Amino acid sequence: EPEVTQTPSHQVTQMGQEVILRCVPISNHLYFYWYRQILGQKVEFLVSFYNNEISEKSEIFDDQFSVERPDGSNFTLKIRSTKLEDSAMYFCASTISAKNIQYFGAGTRLSVL
Amino acid sequence: KQEVTQIPAALSVPEGENLVLNCSFTDSAIYNLQWFRQDPGKGLTSLLLIQSSQREQTSGRLNASLDKSSGRSTLYIAASQPGDSATYLCAVLNRDDKIIFGKGTRLHILP
Protein backbone atom coordinates (compact mmCIF):
# COMPACT_ATOMS: atom_id res chain seq x y z
CA GLU A 1 0.00 0.00 0.00
CA PRO A 2 1.39 3.44 -0.87
CA GLU A 3 2.53 5.51 2.07
CA VAL A 4 4.00 8.85 2.97
CA THR A 5 7.63 8.53 4.00
CA GLN A 6 9.59 10.98 6.08
CA THR A 7 13.30 11.27 6.70
CA PRO A 8 15.09 11.39 9.00
CA SER A 9 13.08 9.79 11.78
CA HIS A 10 15.05 11.79 14.34
CA GLN A 11 17.03 14.98 13.80
CA VAL A 12 19.17 16.56 16.48
CA THR A 13 20.47 20.06 15.89
CA GLN A 14 21.99 22.98 17.69
CA MET A 15 19.98 26.14 18.26
CA GLY A 16 20.44 28.57 15.38
CA GLN A 17 21.19 25.87 12.81
CA GLU A 18 19.15 25.27 9.69
CA VAL A 19 17.32 21.99 9.28
CA ILE A 20 15.53 20.44 6.35
CA LEU A 21 12.90 17.81 6.95
CA ARG A 22 12.06 15.63 4.01
CA CYS A 23 8.89 13.95 2.89
CA VAL A 24 7.91 11.81 -0.04
CA PRO A 25 4.14 12.05 -0.46
CA ILE A 26 2.03 9.39 -2.13
CA SER A 27 2.82 9.62 -5.81
CA ASN A 28 -0.55 10.64 -7.28
CA HIS A 29 -1.43 13.06 -4.51
CA LEU A 30 -1.65 16.76 -5.26
CA TYR A 31 -2.03 18.44 -1.88
CA PHE A 32 0.70 18.43 0.74
CA TYR A 33 0.82 19.49 4.36
CA TRP A 34 3.12 19.92 7.31
CA TYR A 35 1.99 19.65 10.91
CA ARG A 36 3.84 19.68 14.18
CA GLN A 37 3.15 18.16 17.57
CA ILE A 38 5.00 19.46 20.60
CA LEU A 39 5.32 16.74 23.22
CA GLY A 40 2.06 16.35 25.10
CA GLN A 41 0.21 18.91 23.01
CA LYS A 42 -2.14 18.97 20.07
CA VAL A 43 -1.19 18.34 16.48
CA GLU A 44 -1.00 21.79 14.89
CA PHE A 45 -1.39 22.74 11.24
CA LEU A 46 1.60 24.55 9.77
CA VAL A 47 1.13 24.85 6.04
CA SER A 48 -0.64 23.44 3.00
CA PHE A 49 0.84 23.34 -0.49
CA TYR A 50 -0.77 22.86 -3.86
CA ASN A 51 0.25 23.53 -7.43
CA ASN A 52 3.74 24.55 -6.32
CA GLU A 53 2.62 27.24 -3.95
CA ILE A 54 1.46 27.68 -0.39
CA SER A 55 -2.33 27.49 -0.09
CA GLU A 56 -2.70 28.24 3.61
CA LYS A 57 -0.38 28.74 6.54
CA SER A 58 -0.86 29.15 10.25
CA GLU A 59 0.50 31.80 12.59
CA ILE A 60 3.24 29.36 13.56
CA PHE A 61 4.59 29.32 10.01
CA ASP A 62 6.62 32.52 10.16
CA ASP A 63 9.59 33.72 8.12
CA GLN A 64 11.80 31.07 9.69
CA PHE A 65 9.87 28.36 7.87
CA SER A 66 9.72 27.56 4.19
CA VAL A 67 8.48 24.68 2.08
CA GLU A 68 9.55 23.45 -1.27
CA ARG A 69 8.78 20.74 -3.77
CA PRO A 70 12.17 20.61 -5.47
CA ASP A 71 11.28 17.76 -7.80
CA GLY A 72 8.33 15.53 -8.63
CA SER A 73 8.57 13.46 -5.50
CA ASN A 74 9.99 15.33 -2.51
CA PHE A 75 8.32 17.90 -0.28
CA THR A 76 10.56 19.63 2.23
CA LEU A 77 10.17 21.82 5.29
CA LYS A 78 13.09 24.10 6.10
CA ILE A 79 13.57 25.85 9.40
CA ARG A 80 16.13 28.55 8.83
CA SER A 81 17.41 29.20 12.33
CA THR A 82 16.08 26.71 14.84
CA LYS A 83 14.95 27.68 18.30
CA LEU A 84 14.54 25.50 21.36
CA GLU A 85 10.76 25.76 21.02
CA ASP A 86 10.93 24.22 17.54
CA SER A 87 11.55 20.85 19.20
CA ALA A 88 8.58 18.71 18.21
CA MET A 89 7.38 15.90 15.99
CA TYR A 90 6.84 17.13 12.46
CA PHE A 91 4.36 15.27 10.32
CA CYS A 92 3.94 15.43 6.58
CA ALA A 93 0.63 14.51 4.98
CA SER A 94 -0.77 14.29 1.48
CA THR A 95 -4.11 13.85 -0.17
CA ILE A 96 -5.44 13.49 -3.66
CA SER A 97 -8.02 16.26 -3.25
CA ALA A 98 -8.38 19.02 -0.70
CA LYS A 99 -11.41 17.67 1.14
CA ASN A 100 -10.35 14.03 1.11
CA ILE A 101 -8.61 11.78 3.64
CA GLN A 102 -5.11 12.95 4.49
CA TYR A 103 -2.42 10.30 4.75
CA PHE A 104 0.30 10.97 7.29
CA GLY A 105 3.91 9.98 7.49
CA ALA A 106 5.47 8.52 10.64
CA GLY A 107 6.99 11.88 11.50
CA THR A 108 10.41 13.37 12.17
CA ARG A 109 11.32 14.05 15.76
CA LEU A 110 13.28 17.31 15.85
CA SER A 111 15.36 17.97 18.94
CA VAL A 112 16.92 21.42 19.21
CA LEU A 113 19.67 21.65 21.81
CA LYS B 1 -11.68 30.67 16.26
CA GLN B 2 -12.34 26.95 15.98
CA GLU B 3 -11.72 24.92 19.12
CA VAL B 4 -11.86 21.12 19.19
CA THR B 5 -12.31 19.37 22.50
CA GLN B 6 -12.13 15.67 23.23
CA ILE B 7 -13.57 14.06 26.32
CA PRO B 8 -12.41 12.08 28.16
CA ALA B 9 -8.68 12.73 27.99
CA ALA B 10 -8.02 9.12 28.98
CA LEU B 11 -10.12 6.00 29.23
CA SER B 12 -9.48 2.45 30.42
CA VAL B 13 -12.00 -0.29 29.71
CA PRO B 14 -11.95 -4.09 29.91
CA GLU B 15 -11.53 -6.01 26.69
CA GLY B 16 -14.79 -6.79 24.91
CA GLU B 17 -16.66 -3.69 26.01
CA ASN B 18 -18.22 -1.21 23.62
CA LEU B 19 -17.12 2.37 24.11
CA VAL B 20 -17.75 5.89 22.89
CA LEU B 21 -15.25 8.69 22.42
CA ASN B 22 -16.52 12.23 22.20
CA CYS B 23 -15.43 15.23 20.17
CA SER B 24 -16.93 18.70 20.14
CA PHE B 25 -16.14 21.73 18.00
CA THR B 26 -17.19 25.34 18.36
CA ASP B 27 -17.66 26.43 14.74
CA SER B 28 -20.06 24.29 12.71
CA ALA B 29 -18.85 25.71 9.37
CA ILE B 30 -16.67 22.73 8.53
CA TYR B 31 -16.02 20.73 5.40
CA ASN B 32 -15.47 17.45 7.17
CA LEU B 33 -14.41 15.73 10.35
CA GLN B 34 -11.81 13.01 10.57
CA TRP B 35 -10.94 10.51 13.29
CA PHE B 36 -7.34 9.36 13.55
CA ARG B 37 -5.47 6.84 15.59
CA GLN B 38 -1.97 7.59 16.91
CA ASP B 39 0.25 4.92 18.43
CA PRO B 40 3.07 6.05 20.74
CA GLY B 41 5.91 7.62 18.78
CA LYS B 42 4.17 6.99 15.49
CA GLY B 43 2.29 8.95 12.85
CA LEU B 44 -1.44 9.34 12.45
CA THR B 45 -3.62 6.73 10.81
CA SER B 46 -6.91 7.91 9.38
CA LEU B 47 -9.83 5.82 10.63
CA LEU B 48 -12.93 7.53 9.31
CA LEU B 49 -13.79 10.73 7.48
CA ILE B 50 -17.27 12.22 7.60
CA GLN B 51 -18.18 14.92 5.12
CA SER B 52 -20.26 17.80 6.46
CA SER B 53 -23.30 16.53 4.58
CA GLN B 54 -23.08 13.06 6.15
CA ARG B 55 -24.35 11.83 9.50
CA GLU B 56 -22.15 8.79 10.02
CA GLN B 57 -19.49 6.51 8.63
CA THR B 58 -18.69 2.91 9.49
CA SER B 59 -15.60 0.81 9.09
CA GLY B 60 -15.53 -2.63 10.69
CA ARG B 61 -16.00 -2.24 14.44
CA LEU B 62 -15.82 1.55 14.21
CA ASN B 63 -18.72 3.91 13.73
CA ALA B 64 -18.39 7.68 13.69
CA SER B 65 -21.32 10.06 13.83
CA LEU B 66 -21.51 13.75 13.12
CA ASP B 67 -24.04 16.30 14.33
CA LYS B 68 -22.77 19.44 12.71
CA SER B 69 -25.43 21.75 14.06
CA SER B 70 -24.58 20.89 17.65
CA GLY B 71 -20.85 20.66 16.97
CA ARG B 72 -20.46 17.06 18.09
CA SER B 73 -19.03 13.82 16.84
CA THR B 74 -18.70 10.43 18.47
CA LEU B 75 -16.50 7.47 17.69
CA TYR B 76 -18.05 4.18 18.71
CA ILE B 77 -15.80 1.16 19.07
CA ALA B 78 -17.54 -2.19 19.35
CA ALA B 79 -16.12 -5.23 21.10
CA SER B 80 -12.88 -3.52 22.09
CA GLN B 81 -9.59 -5.41 21.83
CA PRO B 82 -6.16 -4.78 23.40
CA GLY B 83 -4.90 -3.80 19.94
CA ASP B 84 -7.29 -0.84 20.01
CA SER B 85 -5.14 0.77 22.70
CA ALA B 86 -3.90 4.07 21.25
CA THR B 87 -4.65 7.78 21.25
CA TYR B 88 -7.66 8.74 19.15
CA LEU B 89 -7.67 12.19 17.59
CA CYS B 90 -10.55 14.13 16.17
CA ALA B 91 -9.86 16.82 13.56
CA VAL B 92 -12.10 19.21 11.64
CA LEU B 93 -11.38 20.80 8.29
CA ASN B 94 -12.46 24.41 8.45
CA ARG B 95 -13.81 26.51 5.60
CA ASP B 96 -10.44 28.27 5.54
CA ASP B 97 -8.89 24.90 4.60
CA LYS B 98 -7.07 24.54 7.91
CA ILE B 99 -7.33 21.39 9.96
CA ILE B 100 -7.82 21.81 13.70
CA PHE B 101 -7.09 18.85 15.94
CA GLY B 102 -8.34 17.94 19.38
CA LYS B 103 -5.88 16.87 22.02
CA GLY B 104 -7.01 13.28 21.81
CA THR B 105 -8.33 10.54 24.04
CA ARG B 106 -5.79 7.99 25.32
CA LEU B 107 -7.53 4.64 25.25
CA HIS B 108 -6.28 1.62 27.15
CA ILE B 109 -8.02 -1.70 26.69
CA LEU B 110 -7.40 -4.03 29.61
CA PRO B 111 -6.83 -7.68 28.64
Side-chain angles (χ1 to χ4, degrees), chain A residues 12 14 34 36 42 55 67 71 73 84 86 108:
Chain A
V12 182
Q14 295 289 328
W34 282 101
R36 79 171 185 191
K42 294 183 180 186
S55 308
V67 289
D71 52 43
S73 59
L84 295 176
D86 293 328
T108 292

Side-chain angles (χ1 to χ4, degrees), chain A residues 40-91:
Chain A
Q41 297 190 23
K42 294 183 180 186
V43 176
E44 298 171 290
F45 168 82
L46 292 178
V47 65
S48 58
F49 191 87
Y50 169 72
N51 201 26
N52 282 320
E53 60 183 28
I54 290 174
S55 308
E56 294 290 338
K57 59 182 181 178
S58 71
E59 303 81 18
I60 303 166
F61 195 88
D62 60 22
D63 293 344
Q64 294 297 315
F65 292 87
S66 63
V67 289
E68 196 178 26
R69 189 156 161 81
D71 52 43
S73 59
N74 289 285
F75 179 52
T76 61
L77 174 69
K78 182 192 291 187
I79 308 175
R80 192 156 56 89
S81 177
T82 50
K83 308 190 220 15
L84 295 176
E85 54 266 36
D86 293 328
S87 295
M89 282 288 285
Y90 288 81
F91 294 108

Side-chain angles (χ1 to χ4, degrees), chain A residues 35 37 40-45 48 56-59 89 91 98-102 104-107 109, chain B residues 3-5 31-32 34 36 38 41-44 46 49 51 89 93 96-103:
Chain A
Y35 298 84
Q37 186 178 31
Q41 297 190 23
K42 294 183 180 186
V43 176
E44 298 171 290
F45 168 82
S48 58
E56 294 290 338
K57 59 182 181 178
S58 71
E59 303 81 18
M89 282 288 285
F91 294 108
K99 311 298 185 283
N100 215 324
I101 290 175
Q102 293 191 14
F104 280 70
R109 180 175 302 283
Chain B
E3 297 280 344
V4 179
T5 304
Y31 280 127
N32 61 46
Q34 200 163 347
F36 293 87
Q38 185 176 28
K42 300 285 179 65
L44 282 66
S46 178
L49 180 142
Q51 301 291 353
L89 303 176
L93 176 61
D96 61 4
D97 284 341
K98 294 177 184 170
I99 286 193
I100 306 297
F101 280 83
K103 204 168 178 182

Side-chain angles (χ1 to χ4, degrees), chain B:
Chain B
K1 183 184 169 186
Q2 179 76 270
E3 297 280 344
V4 179
T5 304
Q6 291 186 247
I7 293 172
L11 181 64
S12 292
V13 299
E15 180 179 2
E17 283 200 4
N18 304 325
L19 59 101
V20 175
L21 307 180
N22 296 292
C23 172
S24 61
F25 47 96
T26 54
D27 184 352
S28 61
I30 62 170
Y31 280 127
N32 61 46
L33 182 145
Q34 200 163 347
W35 283 93
F36 293 87
R37 170 186 171 131
Q38 185 176 28
D39 291 284
K42 300 285 179 65
L44 282 66
T45 301
S46 178
L47 298 172
L48 290 163
L49 180 142
I50 312 177
Q51 301 291 353
S52 61
S53 58
Q54 297 174 322
R55 298 284 292 183
E56 65 176 342
Q57 283 286 331
T58 298
S59 175
R61 294 182 293 110
L62 305 180
N63 176 277
S65 69
L66 174 64
D67 184 343
K68 203 173 70 149
S69 59
S70 68
R72 293 180 190 276
S73 175
T74 61
L75 179 67
Y76 175 83
I77 303 177
S80 57
Q81 302 170 357
D84 295 331
S85 297
T87 296
Y88 289 81
L89 303 176
C90 165
V92 298
L93 176 61
N94 279 351
R95 295 284 173 176
D96 61 4
D97 284 341
K98 294 177 184 170
I99 286 193
I100 306 297
F101 280 83
K103 204 168 178 182
T105 293
R106 276 192 327 279
L107 177 64
H108 182 48
I109 306 300
L110 305 165

